[in-house]
Amino acid sequence: MSWSLACPDWQNRIRSETRSLVPDLPLLDHAAAKRAVTIFDKLRLPDVAGQPPMAQAAGEWFRDIVRALHGSIDKETGHRMVREIFLLVPKKNSKTTNGAALMLTSLLLNKVPNAEFLLIAPTQPITRIAFDQAAGMIEADDLLRDPKRTHIQYHNNTITYLPTGATLQVKSFDPKIVTGVKPAGVLVDELHVVSETTSADRVIGQLRGGIISQPAGFLVFITTQSERPPAGVFKAELDKARDIRDGKRQGAMLPVLYEFPPDISKDEESWSDTKNWWMVTPNRGRSITVDRLAEEFQTAKDTGEAEFRRWASQHLNIEVGTALRLDGWAGASLWSRGAEKGLTLKEVLDRSEVITVGVDGGGLYDLLGVSVLGREKGTNRWLSWSHAFISPEGWDRRKANQAVYSDFEKQGDLTLVDKLPDDVAAVVDIVKQCLDSKKLAKVGADASGIGSIVDALAEIDVTQENGILGAVKQGVGLMGAIKTVERKLADGSFRHGDRPLMAWCAGNAILQATGTGIRIARDASGYGKIDPLIAMFCAAELMAMNPEPPKERKYQLLFA
């Protein structure tokens, strides 16, 4: 029989200073749980004056996790009912230290001969910190440092508990670590960093596969939020944890997520208020204080937007997205107002009386974005659908983007073409669908980047000569479209399909003031692409000219 690990009242719990985020577990083996906590509490911090025991250094919030993991083994079958844990907790809450103590506790409680335990860190420096903490806890204990009881191998970051021959190895993340391994327990530190590795999903899958053969095997993720919008295996595991927490799905993963309730996380004024920070700082008063966080917060804010965004994601678990940028496009914070799930290209074509299309693409390593905008019959609302294409060169160029690109591809918002110019052919096919609907008024794009598209569109008789194709001014030339879309999002007359790609692009958009107006740009890192969003603005610029349906249209040229 599986256990329910749902915690549907988590929002009330996190607002309470006395309630745990670990749900009530009626079938918990309290004797085993107490035994684990007793061992955990006796471990000492090796790098703090006086080497205080975890009984003083750790909070009750983490002891609840220790109880759940070690008290969930069924006495009859030997199977662990809490097989996985997903702990989302901000930095400075003794994440790595607590993780090392958790794995040491598991090593000492284990009764399986020669069992293998792994603590996997994302980088070599974090690996060294984690191992030093674990080894230091051994050295700080009179009983454990007995050479007849434990053996520490510093050259390969391994601790062996001699009575059972079981080992705890601390390793940097590498696909090679899973070859032939059938671990009794694994802890993965900073999953959001590990997730940026292209093979992360395969490695996590193989770790799970190795643990399956162990009845009491377990897998623990301890991580902060990502500094970028969640993607790849981090996003997949975070979504799973949230769904289990909210009761939307069953699973053997215990979700312990220190993140603000939606009414706070969606409002910058609320999550920036230090009065709310205690909710996501479970180790406050020990490894960190809210006052200290406030000092760092102001420093990060004074440093600049990029540092402020990074700091908030790491220390408050604010998910990077459309509501976080201080210099962002105003429409980003309003983007969710225009959401209409299921708004497909076919829906836009069927419900509209007139259509405009925008196209935008930068260099070889950028996305090629296309956006279809319709004016709805009867309501005059604007209906938007967008898609993006990327070349193999663009996919391979930016390794940091691959996880998020892979998500968009699976979600149907991004197409990785086999070769160029297949992306142009695909854009032409979309324009052809609009043309066949008898509702296409105009197609517009950046004049400096549409050479090959112009030639391809001419094959379906979409040309400048017949007035359907035109160049749209870029930079401050799109200022009118930018402001128009903002207002329409605010009043509900701009609708979109609530697609992840466009939410990402909207969140990437930076507003820049110029001598003559404003323009939209992306950050200098090159990570946050906005090409599909610019394509949407191009379509909006054309729609703002109030085009007539094609049967009534008087052809005219549109010049940049």
Side-chain angles (χ1 to χ4, degrees), residues 228-296:
R228 296 169 174 167
V233 70
F234 172 69
K235 182 179 187 302
E237 299 299 336
L238 176 59
D239 288 347
K240 180 198 298 183
R242 285 172 173 165
D243 284 349
I244 293 174
R245 176 195 64 187
D246 298 341
K248 296 179 180 179
R249 65 188 289 181
Q250 291 292 315
M253 174 185 280
L254 175 67
V256 185
L257 311 177
Y258 283 93
E259 57 184 1
F260 289 119
D263 62 309
I264 296 178
S265 64
K266 300 291 186 183
D267 179 58
E268 183 179 321
E269 184 175 348
S270 295
W271 63 253
S272 295
D273 189 344
T274 57
K275 294 179 181 178
N276 292 323
W277 289 3
W278 64 269
M279 296 183 202
V280 294
T281 314
N283 222 51
R284 61 190 180 280
R286 295 179 177 86
S287 57
I288 190 62
T289 65
V290 171
D291 288 343
R292 176 66 182 274
L293 284 176
E295 294 174 6
E296 293 184 1

Side-chain angles (χ1 to χ4, degrees), residues 40 43 54 62 65-67 69-70 85 96-108 137 168 187 218 220 222:
F40 176 84
L43 298 173
M54 296 300 286
F62 198 83
I65 294 172
V66 176
R67 291 187 184 97
L69 182 65
H70 296 98
I85 294 174
T96 300
T97 298
N98 285 341
L102 178 69
M103 294 305 288
L104 265 184
T105 300
S106 300
L107 176 71
L108 298 174
M137 289 175 184
L168 170 61
L187 186 148
F218 65 83
V220 177
I222 300 183

